[in-house]
Amino acid sequence: MWPIKFISSSIGKKIIMAVSGLLLILFLCTHALGNAAIFVSSHAFQTYANALHSLPVVVLLFGLGLLVILLFHIGFGINLFLQNRAAGGNRYAINTRVVKNSFASKTMPYTGLLILLFIIIHVFGFNNGPADMEVSQLVKEYLSNFFYSLFYIFSFCALALHLSHGFWSMLQTFGINHPRYNNGIAKLTLIVPAFFLVFFGAIALYFMSGLGASY
Amino acid sequence: MSDIDLNLQIWRQKKSDSPGAFETYALDKISTEMSFLEMLDVLNEKLTKQGLDPVAFDHDCREGICGMCGTVVNGVAHGPEKEVTLCQLHMRNFKDGDTLVIEPFRSRAFPIRKDLLIDRSAFDRIIQSGGYVSVNTGGTPDGNAIPIPAQTAELAMDAAACIGCGACVASCPNGAAMLFTSAKVSQLCLLPQGQTERKQRALDMVATMDKEGFGNCTNERECEAVCPKSISIRNIARLNREYLMAALSEG
Amino acid sequence: MELNAHIPAGPLSEKWDNHKFNSKLVNPANRRKFKIIIVGTGLAGASASATLAEQGYQVQTFCIQDSPRRAHSIAAQGGINAAKCYQTDGDSVHRLFYDTIKGGDFRSREANVYRLAQVSNSIIDQCVAQGVPFAREYGGTMANRSFGGAQVSRTFYARGQTGQQLLLGAYSALSRQIHAGRVTMYNRREMMEIVLVDGKARGIITRNIITGEIEKYSADMVLLATGGYGNAYFLSTNAMASNVTAAWRAHKKGAGFANPSFVQIHPTCIPVHGDYQSKLTLMSESLRNDGRVWVPKDVNDKRHPRDIPDAARDYYLENKYPSFGNLVPRDVASRNAKEQCDLGKGVGSTKLAVYLDFADAIKRDGQETILKKYGNLFQMYEKITDSSPLQEPMMIYPAVHYTMGGLWVDYNLMTTIPGLFALGECNFSDHGANRLGASALMQGLADGYFVISTSVANYLGTNSLKAVSTDDVAFKEARQEVENRISKLLKNSSDGPTGKVTVDEIHKEVGKLLWDNCGMARNKQGLEAALAKLPALKDKFWNSVYIPGDMKEINQSLERAGRVADFLEFAEIMVRDALAREESCGCHLREESQTEENEAKRDDANFSHVSVWEHKGEGVEPVMHKEQLVFENVTPSQRSYK
Ligand SMILES: Cc1cc2nc3c(=O)[nH]c(=O)nc-3n(C[C@H](O)[C@H](O)[C@H](O)COP(=O)(O)OP(=O)(O)OC[C@H]3O[C@@H](n4cnc5c(N)ncnc54)[C@H](O)[C@@H]3O)c2cc1C
Ligand code: HEM
Ligand code: FES
């Protein structure tokens, strides 16, 4: 069966990581788009949330899809990590990295796990808020908490770090590597993570700093 | 030209299955004109004269093309100078009093045979599983019957320059053999001669690579950084593409 | 020893076709019944292994290195010749033939050389089909360059790594057959002995380099493709494992050794820089296209080369050979460099180097153009010497590079032992007394891809061979011989190294003896002195060589010792051969045989022959036989490069 063969091959696994990574990035984009409403007003945001929840089937399917993608990404990520530790690992008395800026690539599993922790807290928090509170209020409630916000910002940093290797790596896995475009790709690999960090970070800061008080 | 004194810590291991350990040797008055392997020759002459077992290490051409030599020096495959094999590394890269920690290329797929000497036959098996164009001797068309644009020939040559030394595997945090495998797949998929078997080749070579116990690529770029022939990871991207296309249509 | 070259009848250009037609064939269905041993995986061995396996024979292939891809052929840089005449510059099979035979100073066989030129074109086609990335023109056709002073552009190349690419092509074909199960590949095996049954070659004894095991292998015939013996000199451009052992073992079992003293010394190598030096590096000959060779006129001129004005420089090649200048053939360039150094005009710390200067070329064509042509060579030079040829002249000196001599073979490439064939550099067949640039790769692949299969079929078709297994007494005896020899090598080592010598010390000693007396210029006195010194050196080796470790493990000192032991014996026939040939030809300059202008003087009346040495037993003087060379299609002429 080719799909089994494919996902058990080294490159197949990489491609699963890249595809799921890409889908997660796309999800983050839509998520960011929706959340942009926060900066307009609490009303705008609530309208958006209500519109979303008037389509429970879509939300369910979307959520399930996301969960599957995430599970794939996490599952294969951990599998790769374990396999690679067995094949490589710390096998020299002196381990020297020749490539500069290899921090992000070295820490992919760890930044990934941080993101996972964040996702759990984030999803759990917003699904288990007080029943009578509207989502727009909940956001304010949570994020006005200094430490809660700090954790969010910290997690976004982890995400940015994850993507500062992941974005380029994903394109490389898809076979996109060409001298003519590599400069552009390198720039994008800074811009994309920076965008998510700034955008999501700004939401947290918005409330954390008290600017969101009038929201 | 000058002389330097060195402190060597070398991995010594009698056989594949015996435990290994580092031994320390002091080596004085090493001319900076020497190559790294000549420095090891001097050490071995000295050990021999002391009735000790010389350090086993692989080498043959000593001009950077056969791919036989290679150790990890202070954590870097083929040592600190860029784009050279160990046999081309010269002692002027080191300073008086330096400590050099010398270890074999390590990988699950490259068992150590003795000291710094390893078994890289896994590479041969990767090639055997598809790193060729299946033509028999004779009956081939005229060389000019297959026009190949100069740029294509150059790109193929960039990939074909691989010497199979294994530094890519040795330096990869995951012990992956993607740079090696991709170099051969790239060379042949770029050239018209390689088209017929293009898909099967990618599938078979990757399958063998996985079976031999190499790790998975996570795009760490260490392989490209230590490669004595500057084989680019662009080849890996090409292999990923080849593999994907092949798996979707033939796998 | 009977020397019948078995040259086919008919006009030169039809001999090969006639021969193929008259040779016996083996039915495809029967081929799998025959086992063939091939020793060596250089161009010759790898191509032969692949081809014979494709045809259906059962092949067992052996090499010393950890992979067949690492054979010494990998190091060839410049290119490979073929008479394609893609450039329409007047080339032809006949011209390639003529150039090769003339380049060899009329000391090779017409028929063999003609066949070589004939099959040269198929080699290129074969390699292209395998995916060898030869250099291309922008229009997509194959690029050529002129090489080694040839007047036509017939050299095909893949950057400066032609040998590598051709070998990887042959290796890939070999790998395919290994995968198909038709070749059994034995890496890290060193052939130590050849086994004869009823006077025919039927197997080999090898030492497994990893386990130290002495192993026996049997077959219906044995092909040696074990390369050249340049390492007899210790320092050469050959890979470290290159040896004479396989050929020498065959010689001692009855294979004639032809022209052992014909050794090519390449003019453009990086000079020796210290006594720890292990190996010499070749700088491509193409450098002489733009570089100017000179030494200071004054022996005591200690100035930096840049500060020496033109008037104080001696561009000795340009002055002496106005029409060829810096592009004289390898032997002439080498000899003249030695002459200048002997006069005390050598440069550098050892005084054993001459300048190769690019300043004028850079001034004329610009740095960029020069770098485009030689960038990678300059870089290689700078890495080794830490000096940039853009800033100051290169220093070069000749070094041992290639051995034209080798096992004597007939037109079928069979040695004087029935069933034992020799291919590639380890035979003597095509290059006479001097090899032209880019012809060794051509010969190795011609032998392996296109010549040997005819011989194999003919041999198997004409001989009925009885079944032989490795249990045969001949194998037991041969193995015993090998074990005894190894024990003898190790006999001094039980009581420690004090008062002993190391393998390398003896190797350096014999190397220097040969270099000084049987190198670029030879004379009776020196050769006789060397011959007198060899027995003592041999005794010293056997009586006091210290080899650490034992035989049942990886023991690189033991490996080298075995090779040096054979070089020591071999050196004797090398020197004897040089002594016996009282003429100058090609690489072989006998100082007694020179023209008034100090150029090599051939003596066709007395020496138009191949000298073939026969081993007569331990301690017995070897005997020389002659194969007369007959020239029916070319007239030997005196070379002149003035
Ligand atoms: C630096 C350099 C540059 C050169 N450039 C050119 C060039 O540009 N053009 C050109 O035409 N020629 C060139 N030559 C010459 C050419 O490379 C060689 O003559 C040719 O490659 C020899 O090929 P071969 O197959 O005969 O032997 P080799 O390639 O030497 O192979 C010998 C094989 O035999 C095996 N072997 C040897 N002894 C034993 C043993 N005892 N037991 C088991 N196995 C054994 C080895 O493992 C190896 O596999 C160059 C040579 C050098 C040194
Ligand atoms: C929104 C969240 C996430 C996004 C957008 C994301 C994105 C990506 C991307 C684009 C890659 C690169 C794929 C490639 O190299 O081809 C990647 C790799 C990786 N991710 Fe994530 N990821 C996310 C969450 C996670 C989580 C929760 C984990 C949990 C373990 C994780 C673990 C990894 C690992 C280990 C890799 C490296 C795998 C490799 O290079 O082979 N990621 N991620
Ligand atoms: S010894 Fe051949 S590459 Fe170093």
Side-chain angles (χ1 to χ4, degrees):
Chain A
M1 273 274 288
W2 77 264
I4 308 273
K5 257 206 303 207
F6 179 70
I7 61 168
S8 40
S9 75
S10 57
I11 297 183
K13 283 183 202 144
K14 292 236 9 115
I15 289 173
I16 303 270
M17 284 307 284
V19 171
S20 53
L22 175 66
L23 293 173
L24 290 173
I25 291 173
L26 290 178
F27 162 72
L28 286 182
C29 292
T30 56
H31 200 28
L33 204 65
N35 286 5
I38 290 178
F39 292 116
V40 180
S41 69
S42 82
H43 178 71
F45 184 58
Q46 191 56 45
T47 318
Y48 156 72
N50 290 345
L52 213 57
H53 285 273
S54 64
L55 303 163
V57 184
V58 175
V59 171
L60 187 72
L61 285 181
F62 201 82
L64 277 178
L66 208 56
L67 185 66
V68 170
I69 292 165
L70 202 61
L71 286 178
F72 262 93
H73 193 79
I74 296 168
F76 278 88
I78 291 175
N79 176 260
L80 283 172
F81 171 69
L82 293 177
Q83 279 192 346
N84 285 340
R85 209 175 47 171
N90 274 349
R91 54 206 205 277
Y92 295 107
I94 299 187
N95 279 296
T96 309
R97 278 294 185 97
V98 180
V99 175
K100 299 205 173 59
N101 307 328
S102 56
F103 183 73
S105 67
K106 268 192 289 201
T107 51
M108 284 304 271
Y110 310 110
T111 48
L113 284 176
L114 265 175
I115 301 168
L116 179 63
L117 181 69
F118 166 80
I119 294 174
I120 294 171
I121 292 177
H122 176 67
V123 172
F124 189 82
F126 280 90
N127 284 337
N128 291 286
D132 56 347
M133 203 183 271
E134 296 211 301
V135 177
S136 54
Q137 282 313 108
L138 210 54
V139 174
K140 189 175 167 184
E141 200 66 15
Y142 281 134
L143 292 183
S144 302
N145 179 325
F146 180 79
F147 290 104
Y148 203 88
S149 262
L150 196 64
F151 170 68
Y152 264 52
I153 292 174
F154 180 67
S155 304
F156 298 145
C157 289
L159 174 70
L161 199 58
H162 197 74
L163 288 180
S164 71
H165 173 71
F167 186 80
W168 166 82
S169 177
M170 171 188 81
L171 294 179
Q172 165 78 4
T173 301
F174 287 140
I176 301 169
N177 177 329
H178 191 288
R180 185 180 297 165
Y181 306 112
N182 282 351
N183 267 336
I185 291 175
K187 285 198 191 103
L188 269 185
T189 304
L190 290 177
I191 293 170
V192 171
F195 167 76
F196 287 130
L197 177 60
V198 169
F199 186 88
F200 290 116
I203 296 178
L205 269 179
Y206 183 57
F207 294 106
M208 190 184 181
S209 61
L211 277 177
S214 57
Y215 154 90
Chain B
M1 201 201 304
S2 61
D3 287 349
I4 54 175
D5 295 350
L6 294 171
N7 178 21
L8 306 176
Q9 290 179 22
I10 303 182
W11 182 260
R12 304 302 307 263
Q13 179 173 341
K14 244 187 137 37
K15 286 199 158 59
S16 294
D17 48 7
S18 48
F22 282 98
E23 292 268 350
T24 305
Y25 306 97
L27 208 51
D28 296 344
K29 299 223 163 29
I30 291 299
S31 158
T32 50
E33 302 275 287
M34 272 186 206
S35 73
F36 196 89
L37 298 189
E38 283 165 350
M39 182 274 291
L40 289 179
D41 288 343
V42 170
L43 171 71
N44 278 347
E45 278 293 283
K46 188 174 148 190
L47 292 178
T48 305
K49 285 187 178 293
Q50 293 171 352
L52 299 170
D53 198 22
V55 179
F57 63 93
D58 258 331
H59 61 101
D60 197 19
C61 73
R62 295 208 174 187
E63 50 184 80
I65 192 75
C66 74
M68 191 116 172
C69 67
T71 66
V72 168
V73 182
N74 291 341
V76 182
H78 291 307
E81 198 181 345
K82 290 237 169 247
E83 293 176 31
V84 295
T85 53
L86 196 68
C87 57
Q88 292 173 301
L89 176 68
H90 279 73
M91 297 312 289
R92 65 180 83 92
N93 285 286
F94 301 100
K95 292 192 306 295
D96 194 35
D98 275 358
T99 295
L100 308 186
V101 181
I102 306 171
E103 301 178 69
F105 280 179
R106 292 182 193 275
S107 152
R108 194 168 55 186
F110 292 166
I112 295 174
R113 291 294 178 224
K114 185 179 179 182
D115 301 339
L116 305 172
L117 191 146
I118 56 168
D119 180 350
R120 282 167 291 205
S121 51
F123 271 6
D124 284 328
R125 290 188 289 275
I126 294 179
I127 299 293
Q128 282 157 21
S129 65
Y132 39 75
V133 176
S134 298
V135 283
N136 284 351
T137 301
T140 48
D142 185 84
N144 264 348
I146 313 171
I148 299 170
Q151 284 101 327
T152 310
E154 289 297 306
L155 270 185
M157 184 60 215
D158 285 343
C162 168
I163 58 173
C165 63
C168 45
V169 175
S171 65
C172 175
N174 312 320
M178 285 284 275
L179 194 63
F180 172 79
T181 309
S182 69
K184 188 47 75 182
V185 169
S186 279
Q187 178 202 342
L188 296 176
C189 81
L190 283 161
L191 294 171
Q193 299 94 308
Q195 297 312 307
T196 347
E197 298 162 283
R198 183 171 178 171
K199 290 180 176 167
Q200 203 54 46
R201 174 181 308 120
L203 293 172
D204 291 346
M205 288 180 72
V206 170
T208 310
M209 176 181 89
D210 290 349
K211 202 175 75 199
E212 291 290 342
F214 293 104
N216 308 287
C217 174
T218 54
N219 301 328
E220 309 279 338
R221 284 179 278 195
E222 291 289 330
C223 52
E224 173 185 71
V226 301
C227 176
K229 298 293 145 185
S230 316
I231 307 288
S232 158
I233 55 164
R234 195 176 165 198
N235 293 301
I236 297 186
R238 211 176 273 127
L239 170 63
N240 290 335
R241 218 155 58 211
E242 287 293 304
Y243 186 79
L244 181 62
M245 298 317 276
L248 292 181
S249 58
E250 308 229 320
Chain C
M1 182 174 281
E2 197 209 342
L3 299 174
N4 182 346
H6 292 111
I7 295 171
L12 190 59
S13 60
E14 288 165 28
K15 283 182 192 293
W16 177 227
D17 280 340
N18 289 346
H19 181 71
K20 279 191 284 189
F21 182 72
N22 292 325
S23 293
K24 286 269 184 307
L25 300 175
V26 177
N27 174 327
N30 279 339
R31 290 183 197 152
R32 80 173 74 90
K33 295 183 192 145
F34 294 108
K35 282 211 298 200
I36 302 174
I37 283 176
I38 299 178
V39 189
T41 58
L43 289 178
S47 57
S49 302
T51 304
L52 294 171
E54 283 159 11
Q55 298 184 351
Y57 300 102
Q58 278 185 57
V59 177
Q60 291 168 291
T61 302
F62 298 79
C63 73
I64 294 181
Q65 292 82 1
D66 70 332
S67 162
R69 67 181 287 153
R70 306 197 201 285
H72 162 64
S73 294
I74 200 99
Q77 305 169 349
I80 178 169
N81 287 334
K84 282 280 193 189
C85 196
Y86 281 158
Q87 314 304 330
T88 332
D89 53 0
D91 200 10
S92 64
V93 167
H94 199 86
R95 188 177 296 278
L96 176 55
F97 153 74
Y98 182 75
D99 286 356
T100 308
I101 215 149
K102 178 179 176 218
D105 219 0
F106 303 96
R107 289 295 172 263
S108 43
R109 243 184 241 148
E110 280 187 344
N112 284 57
V113 178
Y114 196 87
R115 173 177 66 186
L116 175 66
Q118 274 178 306
V119 303
S120 66
N121 291 341
S122 311
I123 298 173
I124 302 302
D125 300 341
Q126 185 62 32
C127 297
V128 168
Q130 287 168 345
V132 170
F134 282 114
R136 297 276 171 163
E137 302 294 352
Y138 283 100
T141 52
M142 301 187 73
N144 290 119
R145 60 178 162 211
S146 122
F147 194 70
Q151 286 165 304
V152 291
S153 289
R154 63 158 78 99
T155 304
F156 293 79
Y157 61 100
R159 289 198 194 144
Q161 290 134 275
T162 317
Q164 180 200 26
Q165 293 310 312
L166 295 174
L167 183 63
L168 292 182
Y171 160 77
S172 72
L174 169 62
S175 296
R176 176 171 158 245
Q177 295 306 315
I178 296 173
H179 191 61
R182 288 192 286 257
V183 174
T184 316
M185 184 68 222
Y186 297 94
N187 299 334
R188 296 220 199 247
R189 299 299 201 292
E190 179 152 9
M191 178 193 137
M192 309 293 281
E193 198 55 86
I194 175 116
V195 185
L196 308 190
V197 177
D198 299 338
K200 295 195 172 85
R202 294 306 298 270
I204 60 169
I205 306 293
T206 62
R207 179 171 181 273
N208 181 324
I209 288 174
I210 299 294
T211 63
E213 208 67 50
I214 306 299
E215 304 163 331
K216 306 176 285 188
Y217 297 92
S218 67
D220 294 292
M221 56 197 297
V222 177
L223 274 46
L224 296 185
T226 48
Y229 50 81
N231 279 349
Y233 293 82
F234 186 72
L235 285 179
S236 81
T237 62
N238 286 11
M240 303 299 284
S242 297
N243 65 79
V244 77
T245 294
W248 188 247
R249 294 286 127 208
H251 173 67
K252 289 183 87 172
K253 284 276 164 84
F257 209 112
N259 301 333
S261 70
F262 285 178
V263 176
Q264 179 166 79
I265 295 178
H266 197 290
T268 49
C269 300
I270 298 179
V272 177
H273 47 75
D275 26 302
Y276 46 80
Q277 184 136 4
S278 58
K279 146 98 207 222
L280 296 172
T281 305
L282 178 80
M283 288 274 103
S284 170
E285 193 158 36
S286 59
L287 290 170
R288 286 197 283 141
N289 288 337
D290 285 298
R292 297 180 71 193
V293 177
W294 63 274
V295 289
K297 277 188 180 150
D298 179 5
V299 180
N300 297 315
D301 199 335
K302 296 263 175 330
R303 283 176 287 181
H304 186 273
R306 279 283 86 97
D307 302 331
I308 301 180
D310 240 22
R313 299 175 174 191
D314 182 4
Y315 292 95
Y316 58 88
L317 287 179
E318 295 172 18
N319 298 338
K320 219 164 144 188
Y321 306 97
S323 67
F324 274 70
N326 295 300
L327 290 172
V328 291
R330 290 179 179 178
D331 52 335
V332 180
S334 293
R335 251 183 330 257
N336 279 282
K338 176 179 154 48
E339 194 178 282
Q340 296 301 323
C341 293
D342 288 350
L343 292 172
K345 292 185 185 171
V347 297
S349 58
T350 56
K351 295 288 205 180
L352 285 175
V354 299
Y355 290 126
L356 181 62
D357 201 336
F358 291 87
D360 290 338
I362 293 170
K363 220 178 284 161
R364 184 187 64 221
D365 300 341
Q367 185 155 318
E368 205 173 315
T369 313
I370 294 300
L371 274 181
K372 212 173 194 166
K373 284 194 200 164
Y374 308 114
N376 59 343
L377 290 167
F378 282 12
Q379 200 188 358
M380 183 157 132
Y381 180 84
E382 193 170 347
K383 264 178 191 155
I384 295 175
T385 61
D386 207 20
S387 130
S388 164
L390 294 174
Q391 311 303 331
E392 51 191 11
M394 269 185 177
M395 285 197 266
I396 54 162
Y397 198 65
V400 172
H401 178 58
Y402 180 87
T403 54
M404 282 75 66
L407 290 174
W408 183 89
V409 290
D410 65 5
Y411 190 75
N412 287 305
L413 305 183
M414 188 160 87
T415 66
T416 51
I417 298 177
L420 181 71
F421 294 74
L423 293 74
E425 191 174 340
C426 87
N427 73 24
F428 90 105
S429 76
D430 296 339
H431 306 295
N434 175 48
R435 175 178 69 79
L436 288 187
S439 292
L441 302 181
M442 169 170 72
Q443 183 224 337
L445 291 179
D447 289 357
Y449 283 134
F450 297 107
V451 175
I452 197 65
S453 58
T454 306
S455 311
V456 164
N458 187 50
Y459 177 76
L460 295 172
T462 46
N463 287 278
S464 65
L465 299 165
K466 69 168 192 188
V468 162
S469 88
T470 52
D471 299 330
D472 201 284
V473 280
F475 282 86
K476 287 211 184 100
E477 280 169 14
R479 178 173 155 166
Q480 196 56 51
E481 264 175 62
V482 171
E483 282 173 349
N484 292 349
R485 197 161 64 241
I486 292 177
S487 309
K488 201 172 144 202
L489 281 171
L490 289 169
K491 78 175 180 350
N492 308 316
S493 305
S494 50
D495 55 351
T498 21
K500 309 269 168 65
V501 290
T502 65
V503 178
D504 281 6
E505 284 167 346
I506 297 276
H507 196 174
K508 284 180 189 175
E509 214 172 316
V510 66
K512 182 153 178 4
L513 190 68
L514 288 175
W515 178 246
D516 290 342
N517 299 295
C518 196
M520 279 183 277
R522 300 143 178 205
N523 58 54
K524 187 160 193 272
Q525 201 188 355
L527 289 165
E528 279 174 347
L531 197 58
K533 281 187 193 151
L534 277 170
L537 196 54
K538 221 157 42 178
D539 285 348
K540 181 166 152 196
F541 174 80
W542 285 104
N543 294 329
S544 58
V545 68
Y546 173 76
I547 301 165
D550 64 56
M551 69 174 284
K552 287 276 183 231
E553 60 173 5
I554 295 177
N555 188 335
Q556 296 179 317
S557 308
L558 179 62
E559 287 166 38
R560 274 179 288 135
R563 294 171 203 151
V564 172
D566 289 332
F567 282 136
L568 279 167
E569 293 182 6
F570 172 69
E572 186 186 327
I573 64 162
M574 230 169 132
V575 175
R576 281 185 192 278
D577 188 52
L579 200 53
R581 191 172 282 277
E582 292 171 329
E583 64 157 351
S584 297
C585 62
C587 69
H588 174 70
L589 182 92
R590 277 293 295 266
E591 285 168 354
E592 298 91 336
S593 178
Q594 299 188 56
T595 62
E596 279 106 67
E597 298 141 317
N598 285 342
E599 293 303 322
K601 197 166 102 204
R602 241 183 23 234
D603 177 358
D604 289 337
N606 295 306
F607 293 96
S608 185
H609 62 246
V610 179
S611 335
V612 188
W613 294 83
E614 182 182 5
H615 181 72
K616 284 291 187 185
E618 239 35 270
V620 185
E621 258 191 39
V623 173
M624 190 188 85
H625 303 267
K626 295 177 185 173
E627 180 201 338
Q628 280 305 328
L629 292 167
V630 188
F631 294 97
E632 291 168 333
N633 300 278
V634 297
T635 318
S637 57
Q638 198 72 37
R639 297 188 305 171
S640 168
Y641 298 97
K642 289 271 169 185

